[in-house]
Amino acid sequence: MESIVRALAVYLFLMLVMRISGRRTLAQITVFDLVLLLVISEAVQNAMVGENYSLTNAFVLVLTLVGADIALSLLKQRSRWVARLIDDVPLVIVEDGRPLEDRMRRSRVDAEDVMEAARELQGLERMEQIKYAVLERSGTITIIPKG
Amino acid sequence: MAERQAGGLEVAQDLEFEGRQWRAQLAGWWVMLLGLLLAVLGLLGRGGPLGGGRADGEGLSLEYVRLLHHLEPLSLEVRLSPQAPAAGGDRVRLALSQEWLAGVRLNAVTPQPESVELRPDRVIYTFSVAPGADRPAEVRFAYEAEEVGALRGWVELEGGGRVEFGQWVYP
């Protein structure tokens, strides 16, 4: 029972902290963010395992985490509100070549992030060539070029 | 429902939800900052200026951690004044409440006691002391809290005073 409570507590806490930190935290794969993710996994490992290093405990933890993931995905299917709460919604941040400054500022995305995606995904050179830039739920930026 | 932007982009954007989410995120950041501040002050355990405690009694004083974590290795430090009453002239008997011991795992007692006596409400540790000591002697009980929540106990010097203390164990 304690193992299940520990696993659920860690899972829900991490989900909450990651949602509060904003979607760009998930998408940006800089060295700093990689180090952060590695250190977080180490920090919570002992809290989940406790002093029980048995195979049975490890299996129970895995079952709990996978079960929680499945339960949430089913809940998301049934409720749009839950789906938005957990996964967020996409956001248009550039429209017809014009950056929507307020939305970008609140999402902690700057013009250079948009241009990086534009160059990488579409080979574009200038902001004016972008019809729409969308900050997706995953934190990545997708680009629709002007036709 | 997906929104259709001017120009035909179909995207499930919801600006009202985004606005609420941003406000919730901002509130969340303040809560995180508050949590870190509490941790720095020692109110979430692990030391800090407000996390420690001290209690004084006749012939002894106790230093302990008031706010601690489950299974965190810590020690209870009992200082016996040079004038502390000795049970048999060259022995000191220190009692620790069973109520507290029931909630912790006692790992070591330093120095090692001469004897340990079990009673229903206490455990008595007997230490031999050198006569004519002019500095306080220190006894250290190394422990880990096994129960979460409030933990109360007392330490009593036979022939001297009793000090009570309370702790809170975070999960």
Side-chain angles (χ1 to χ4, degrees), chain B:
Chain B
M1 182 168 301
E3 173 187 307
R4 190 173 287 274
Q5 301 275 70
L9 177 69
E10 193 169 323
V11 62
Q13 181 172 256
D14 187 336
L15 292 179
E16 195 183 322
F17 175 81
E18 287 288 356
R20 284 200 302 269
Q21 183 176 241
W22 284 325
R23 285 189 292 277
Q25 260 180 23
L26 193 58
W29 293 352
W30 280 110
V31 169
M32 283 166 64
L33 186 62
L34 179 66
L36 287 173
L37 189 62
L38 293 178
V40 164
L41 291 174
L43 294 174
L44 293 181
R46 284 241 132 165
L50 301 180
R54 185 191 163 104
D56 293 309
E58 186 190 340
L60 82 165
S61 70
L62 177 68
E63 281 189 18
Y64 62 100
V65 175
R66 284 191 303 122
L67 301 165
L68 53 151
H69 296 166
H70 181 237
L71 297 181
E72 180 187 359
L74 289 167
S75 59
L76 207 58
E77 292 172 15
V78 181
R79 284 203 175 82
L80 304 170
S81 71
Q83 296 81 33
D90 57 355
R91 282 178 176 72
V92 162
R93 287 161 62 86
L94 208 58
L96 213 48
S97 65
Q98 281 282 23
E99 182 190 6
W100 184 78
L101 286 168
V104 306
R105 180 193 311 165
L106 199 60
N107 292 327
V109 182
T110 310
Q112 197 148 3
E114 253 188 22
S115 66
V116 180
E117 186 181 322
L118 296 178
R119 299 247 181 109
D121 67 333
R122 67 190 67 192
V123 175
I124 300 175
Y125 300 86
T126 304
F127 304 89
S128 61
V129 290
D134 58 356
R135 290 190 311 176
E138 190 176 288
V139 177
R140 189 169 292 179
F141 297 90
Y143 69 96
E144 295 167 4
E146 287 189 317
E147 301 285 333
V148 171
L151 195 57
R152 302 204 63 80
W154 47 261
V155 179
E156 186 177 287
L157 176 65
E158 193 169 275
R162 171 192 283 204
V163 290
E164 296 185 351
F165 61 100
Q167 298 173 298
W168 179 264
V169 184
Y170 287 105

Side-chain angles (χ1 to χ4, degrees), chain A residues 6 19-23 51 80 84-85 88-92 95 103 106-108 131-132 134 144, chain B residues 1 5-9 11-15 17-22 25 28-29 32 70-71 105 144:
Chain A
R6 282 174 175 270
R19 281 298 272 123
I20 290 172
S21 72
R23 65 186 111 183
E51 293 186 309
R80 231 180 103 243
R84 287 188 308 171
L85 194 65
D88 210 340
V89 291
L91 180 69
V92 175
E95 190 172 337
R103 297 180 192 184
R106 287 177 186 239
S107 304
R108 291 177 288 140
K131 188 175 182 183
Y132 292 111
V134 180
I144 313 292
Chain B
M1 182 168 301
Q5 301 275 70
L9 177 69
V11 62
Q13 181 172 256
D14 187 336
L15 292 179
F17 175 81
E18 287 288 356
R20 284 200 302 269
Q21 183 176 241
W22 284 325
Q25 260 180 23
W29 293 352
M32 283 166 64
H70 181 237
L71 297 181
R105 180 193 311 165
E144 295 167 4

Side-chain angles (χ1 to χ4, degrees), chain A residues 30-96:
Chain A
T30 63
V31 170
F32 175 77
D33 296 299
L34 182 61
V35 166
L36 181 68
L37 289 173
L38 288 173
V39 169
I40 284 176
S41 73
E42 282 300 308
V44 299
Q45 178 214 326
N46 286 341
M48 278 201 298
V49 171
E51 293 186 309
N52 188 340
Y53 305 118
S54 65
L55 274 177
T56 308
N57 190 47
F59 294 161
V60 169
L61 289 175
V62 168
L63 286 178
T64 304
L65 292 170
V66 172
D69 197 55
I70 293 172
L72 274 180
S73 64
L74 290 173
L75 204 55
K76 281 190 303 183
Q77 272 191 326
R78 283 182 163 65
S79 165
R80 231 180 103 243
W81 183 81
V82 170
R84 287 188 308 171
L85 194 65
I86 293 173
D87 285 344
D88 210 340
V89 291
L91 180 69
V92 175
I93 53 175
V94 174
E95 190 172 337
D96 199 28

